[in-house]
Amino acid sequence: MDSILVRGGGPLNGQIPIAGAKNACLTLMPATLLSEEPLTLTNAPRLSDIKTMTQLLQSLGAEVTSLQEGKVLAMSSHGLNNPTAHYDIVRKMRASILVLGPMLARDGHAIVSLPGGCAIGARPVDLHLKALEAMGAELDLRDGYVHAKAPLGGLRGGTVDFEFASVGATENAVMAATLAKGTTVLNNAAREPEIVDLVECLRAMGAQIEGEGSSTITIQGVDRLGGATHRVVTDRIELGTYMLAPAICGGEVELLGGKIDLIGAFCEKLDAAGISVTETDKGLKVARKNGRIRAVDVTTEPFPGFPTDLQAQMMALLCTAEGTSVLEEKIFENRFMHAPELMRMGAQIDVQGGTATVTGVDQLRGAPVMATDLRASVSLILAGLAAQGETRVARVYHLDRGYEQVVRKLSGVGADIERVQGE
Ligand code: EPZ
């Protein structure tokens, strides 16, 4: 397993290009199952999670061809020949559950392994299943798999009242409803930009959908969907992550492709912490306003609130702030695993359940640390950029799931960072 070595240093300056969104691509790819016509995605990120989703779709009989070094995914599923999404692939990536809705809508049956939990929480899929049942699906859970069948005439439009604005459950329900007979209304739907991106792609394929980005989405089922070519939306989590690099180190960095409307709540917190964000014709320019970062309190919420996927990275910044910050993680039950690793670098953090109290220190110190999950891994790199001395982040396979070319992007703005073989 590779490690990343980071040597803390001075300010960072230059430009970082932001890739297409992993969490948009992971729901756009299963959408190919809804149509026999080709679906092509451009601006796709080059990540191990995308490779895993490619393997999964190919195991179902879909064709997925990676072009232009992975930035274009040409897909077609005119010939599905296997209704089963096997555990050995699903266990590697929870987003695999997103093939369930499209397969059920397209073929009327699907057998999908339950994804199981992951490091940050149990992450059940009950809301996905309830949504599909509201469209007439008959679900039988046995042997660790969901055995799903649509009614004889196919899925029927229905009303879904989500107890929680689940991103994945909203995505599964929207995709399934595009081919259901009649109208489906999703109440308390998730509002994330990745869902807006999915709807724009489905609409290009011929779907009739309204309300994306709001809490109520209405889908009028159609008999069939066509093909499309769709550009994956910019990754707001990669964007927010790299905005924190000049924030924690000083200097000025322009994030190419960045847009404020993707991360409004996050930018408000940066402003309160003493970081300036300026819109340019190429993206967003980020720099410290003056002097030390100020402590701010953060509570993670569904979009448009502060994203849980930026909580670990924000904690790294606040470890160096003047004052005490309180971070509340309201989305996942175990998403502070980066805290003990940051404390190895001299951070002062007190974790009580879903609340972490961070008292800023003048200087973090480099240390050997271990990545525990995707976003924790990059928070340790951010801390290492500001720390005195060398930080060695082990188990960076977590990083490869969600960040392409981290070493190249950060060294491109002056960071002293390299990837080394083995732990
Ligand atoms: C998506 O996960 C993202 N993943 C996550 O990003 C992100 O953290 C999350 O949304 C929240 O924004 C992808 O898009 C592939 P949820 P998802 O359903 O869909 C509970 C990353 O780092 N829940 O909104 O799984 C669940 O346990 C990843 O890129 C149920 O109880 O998120 C969690 O506590 C991590 N039952 C909360 O809701 C369900 O049926 C949020 O889950 C579904 C979810």
Side-chain angles (χ1 to χ4, degrees):
M1 285 183 270
D2 291 359
S3 297
I4 281 189
L5 289 185
V6 190
R7 295 172 195 88
L12 303 177
N13 289 287
Q15 295 179 324
I16 297 180
I18 302 302
K22 165 180 85 81
N23 291 348
C25 205
L26 289 175
T27 188
L28 289 163
M29 291 175 75
T32 189
L33 299 171
L34 291 166
S35 166
E36 298 193 5
E37 309 292 326
L39 173 61
T40 300
L41 299 179
T42 62
N43 193 40
R46 281 72 61 89
L47 303 167
S48 58
D49 270 8
I50 304 305
K51 291 194 176 83
T52 304
M53 182 59 82
T54 297
Q55 288 165 2
L56 175 58
L57 292 175
Q58 289 171 339
S59 76
L60 303 174
E63 288 170 24
V64 182
T65 308
S66 175
L67 306 167
Q68 293 181 30
E69 297 173 339
K71 288 205 77 158
V72 172
L73 296 170
M75 303 179 291
S76 139
S77 64
H78 53 274
L80 293 185
N81 55 26
N82 167 29
T84 303
H86 282 290
Y87 177 62
D88 59 343
I89 296 184
V90 174
R91 68 181 172 77
K92 283 194 282 187
M93 185 186 61
R94 300 189 69 269
S96 307
I97 193 71
L98 294 173
V99 303
L100 177 58
M103 282 170 75
L104 203 46
R106 160 79 181 274
D107 275 354
H109 70 288
I111 304 169
V112 177
S113 166
L114 285 165
C118 75
I120 62 177
R123 302 188 69 183
V125 291
D126 55 311
L127 301 179
H128 298 241
L129 305 183
K130 282 179 195 156
L132 296 173
E133 284 175 327
M135 293 180 222
E138 293 156 30
L139 306 176
D140 176 18
L141 302 191
R142 63 176 190 274
D143 314 325
Y145 282 77
V146 181
H147 296 256
K149 277 177 68 179
L152 270 182
L155 293 177
R156 298 185 302 269
T159 297
V160 181
D161 297 313
F162 284 117
E163 295 152 43
F164 173 81
S166 157
V167 172
T170 301
E171 291 164 345
N172 242 331
V174 165
M175 290 191 280
T178 57
L179 295 176
K181 302 273 186 302
T183 303
T184 299
V185 179
L186 307 180
N187 295 316
N188 193 26
R191 301 171 54 191
E192 273 68 5
E194 292 74 35
I195 288 167
V196 173
D197 202 44
L198 171 65
V199 170
E200 286 170 359
C201 177
L202 293 170
R203 196 174 282 135
M205 295 166 73
Q208 292 181 20
I209 306 172
E210 289 174 1
E212 71 277 10
S214 80
S215 298
T216 302
I217 301 177
T218 304
I219 305 104
Q220 182 63 42
V222 294
D223 292 337
R224 62 184 298 281
L225 290 178
T229 295
H230 177 80
R231 176 181 166 78
V232 179
V233 69
T234 300
D235 191 323
R236 63 193 168 97
I237 305 304
E238 188 194 27
L239 170 63
T241 300
Y242 286 123
M243 289 170 74
L244 289 172
I248 205 167
C249 290
E252 182 178 78
V253 173
E254 184 174 28
L255 295 311
L256 305 180
K259 293 187 178 59
I260 281 199
D261 65 352
L262 291 170
I263 45 168
F266 175 73
C267 289
E268 284 168 19
K269 287 298 177 184
L270 292 189
D271 180 57
I275 296 145
S276 75
V277 179
T278 312
E279 291 183 275
T280 69
D281 57 358
K282 291 183 187 154
L284 298 179
K285 200 168 270 189
V286 177
R288 275 190 195 161
K289 286 177 193 164
N290 47 37
R292 200 165 163 197
I293 298 297
R294 292 190 297 271
V296 293
D297 293 342
V298 170
T299 300
T300 63
E301 296 172 307
F303 194 88
F306 190 100
T308 174
D309 292 350
L310 285 171
Q311 176 260 109
Q313 301 90 313
M314 191 70 177
M315 184 185 284
L317 175 75
L318 295 174
C319 288
T320 68
E322 187 159 15
T324 298
S325 309
V326 177
L327 289 94
E328 286 199 278
E329 174 53 62
K330 294 280 193 187
I331 305 296
F332 291 105
E333 63 266 33
N334 183 33
R335 203 170 197 178
F336 285 139
M337 287 175 293
H338 40 286
E341 300 302 312
L342 290 167
M343 289 160 77
R344 290 176 50 76
M345 301 174 71
Q348 288 182 17
I349 308 169
D350 176 31
V351 175
Q352 300 292 336
T355 301
T357 303
V358 178
T359 304
V361 295
D362 292 342
Q363 179 70 59
L364 292 173
R365 294 183 308 280
V369 291
M370 188 169 72
T372 50
D373 60 83
L374 167 56
R375 306 302 174 182
S377 58
V378 79
S379 81
L380 299 173
I381 289 176
L382 288 170
L385 290 173
Q388 195 168 37
E390 181 177 277
T391 298
R392 182 187 189 103
V393 183
R395 300 192 176 179
V396 290
Y397 58 85
H398 290 291
L399 200 63
D400 297 334
R401 296 191 54 179
Y403 291 91
E404 62 173 48
Q405 300 171 332
V406 173
V407 171
R408 183 169 160 191
K409 290 188 177 187
L410 285 173
S411 47
V413 292
D416 183 349
I417 180 171
E418 62 178 306
R419 185 171 183 135
V420 293
Q421 303 291 328
E423 199 156 347

